[in-house]
Amino acid sequence: MENDNKLIDPFGRSVDYVRVSVTDRCDLRCVYCMPKSHKAFQTPSHWLTVDELTRVIGAFTSLGTRRVRITGGEPLTRPEILDISKQLSSITALEDLSLSTNAVQLHKYAQPLREAGISRINVSLDTLSSSRFKTITQGKLDKVINGLLAAKKAGFDPIKINMVVMKGVNDDEIFDMVKFCIENGFALRFIETMPIGVNGREASEQYINLQTVKEKLAQHYNLIPDIMPGGGPARYVRIDGTDAKIGFITPISQHFCETCNRVRLTADGTLYMCLGQNHQFALRPLLRSGISDEGLQEAIIEAIKLKPEKHEFIEKPSQVVRFMSMTGG
């Protein structure tokens, strides 16, 4: 399809990817995302409705956006998740509709999500140890494994595993996770910790430069540069002699701000232009005051003008105090 993107930010970057949070709630409490004590959730009446979400994404696609990822919180806790998936997948200009999940409820949603039009699944999984999983997330590992198997049975391909690598927490499981993904046909993406939310200082202490992880892997495997479908920032390699692909998401050691192509829409209709900055634009008041489709498109164009050049995780590690669950993955 011809590139007709009208969303160009002040630094010449084409914004063609929206990550859509459908809820700020979650059925886990991952230490780097949502503290166990957190209870300041938005009321559901503040969430964009299914029709409002569809209007916003329709406006984005009219302006040239072609990729959408549904996120949360945990999107499978949103009661209307299947309706949302069906309506978004019915937008003809949308070429790629994917979903990020912790997979706790995926065992019952995998097949319906596939039928609703979700094309790809990303699953957060930081450890293969049941006890360690409990410590990191307050949840049960077997539910996630069952969800992954259900997604595989439903025909999702690729299935990407996202592992946040944390010093002294799970960095001893790197090779175990690689083996697990090879055996099950999953793609694996390692992610650097980011100083977001009240746990920003702890995240900085747990930070591991993924270049060192890549070097360790290269001592055991022949790594061949490769690519995978998706609009995200991961840089991929393939393990020679296998179909296994490993991605590295490096917002700190090798930031990808110069090629950033995405914005995030929160459950309450706020657009955030950068995960590591506070630039935002509220769409919900406009939607509920009767804005026209043309007006909505103009508002989105104005919002993109707020997109900053880069994050400042290193320069200002305590700048972003909102939780990851509030912004969306």
Side-chain angles (χ1 to χ4, degrees):
M1 181 178 292
E2 182 181 352
N3 185 358
D4 55 355
N5 200 335
K6 299 179 180 65
L7 297 179
I8 308 298
D9 76 6
F11 304 95
R13 296 168 299 195
S14 178
V15 177
D16 61 3
Y17 183 15
V18 183
R19 297 189 178 179
V20 180
S21 171
V22 297
T23 177
D24 61 337
R25 305 189 182 204
C26 189
D27 42 11
L28 293 181
R29 288 293 182 274
C30 298
V31 292
Y32 50 78
C33 181
M34 186 192 300
K36 185 178 179 180
S37 60
H38 177 65
K39 293 182 174 60
F41 297 109
Q42 297 210 13
T43 60
S45 63
H46 289 171
W47 297 342
L48 294 190
T49 66
V50 178
D51 288 341
E52 287 170 338
L53 281 168
T54 305
R55 276 198 73 195
V56 173
I57 299 307
F60 266 100
T61 58
S62 296
L63 295 168
T65 295
R66 295 294 175 258
R67 299 180 184 275
V68 166
R69 173 171 295 280
I70 298 174
T71 70
E74 169 49 47
L76 301 189
T77 65
R78 174 85 185 246
E80 306 93 341
I81 185 59
L82 295 178
D83 290 335
I84 291 170
S85 301
K86 289 175 183 176
Q87 287 215 31
L88 295 188
S89 68
S90 70
I91 300 174
T92 55
L94 195 60
E95 297 175 358
D96 183 45
L97 179 62
S98 56
L99 180 140
S100 291
T101 175
N102 61 30
V104 168
Q105 300 188 49
L106 192 55
H107 66 285
K108 63 181 179 182
Y109 276 110
Q111 188 62 44
L113 284 171
R114 181 82 170 155
E115 295 170 357
I118 300 297
S119 57
R120 296 183 295 107
I121 294 269
N122 284 13
V123 174
S124 299
L125 180 60
D126 299 322
T127 177
L128 296 172
S129 162
S130 295
S131 59
R132 189 175 285 178
F133 186 86
K134 179 73 172 179
T135 299
I136 295 173
T137 72
Q138 303 298 309
K140 295 182 178 180
L141 178 63
D142 59 345
K143 291 185 177 181
V144 177
I145 300 301
N146 289 338
L148 281 167
L149 296 177
K152 189 174 180 179
K153 182 178 180 181
F156 283 106
D157 185 31
I159 296 172
K160 298 177 181 178
I161 303 297
N162 290 342
M163 179 183 183
V164 178
V165 183
M166 295 168 280
K167 183 189 301 182
V169 178
N170 65 350
D171 52 321
D172 59 339
E173 290 191 70
I174 289 169
F175 285 98
D176 290 339
M177 192 66 78
V178 170
K179 182 180 178 182
F180 172 76
C181 289
I182 291 175
E183 291 175 347
N184 288 279
F186 303 143
L188 175 60
R189 285 125 57 89
F190 294 117
I191 304 175
E192 290 179 343
T193 57
M194 291 174 282
I196 295 177
V198 295
N199 292 330
R201 177 176 294 181
E202 183 177 353
S204 296
E205 294 172 351
Q206 294 173 344
Y207 167 76
I208 293 179
N209 185 325
L210 286 187
Q211 304 315 305
T212 63
V213 172
K214 188 174 182 179
E215 290 168 2
K216 288 181 180 179
L217 292 174
Q219 293 174 8
H220 291 78
Y221 303 108
N222 182 26
L223 304 179
I224 302 171
D226 211 319
I227 58 174
M228 286 201 76
R235 299 178 176 95
Y236 287 97
V237 297
R238 178 174 57 82
I239 296 178
D240 194 14
T242 76
D243 294 326
K245 295 182 182 180
I246 300 176
F248 300 87
I249 300 178
T250 55
I252 307 299
S253 65
Q254 291 183 320
H255 74 73
F256 30 81
C257 299
E258 68 278 0
T259 59
C260 184
N261 63 339
R262 58 204 161 278
V263 294
R264 288 171 168 82
L265 178 69
T266 65
D268 70 351
T270 302
L271 277 174
Y272 279 95
M273 311 308 149
C274 174
L275 187 60
Q277 296 280 11
N278 291 310
H279 302 71
Q280 59 185 278
F281 192 100
L283 293 179
R284 188 185 69 199
L286 301 178
L287 290 165
R288 296 189 178 176
S289 64
I291 192 170
S292 66
D293 289 345
E294 294 76 13
L296 182 57
Q297 291 177 28
E298 291 173 3
I300 291 172
I301 291 172
E302 289 301 308
I304 299 303
K305 293 179 182 179
L306 301 175
K307 190 168 173 62
E309 183 177 12
K310 61 180 182 178
H311 66 65
E312 295 176 306
F313 285 138
I314 297 175
E315 299 91 335
K316 301 176 181 178
S318 301
Q319 176 171 258
V320 178
V321 295
R322 65 183 184 274
F323 300 131
M324 188 73 177
S325 59
M326 295 171 61
T327 310

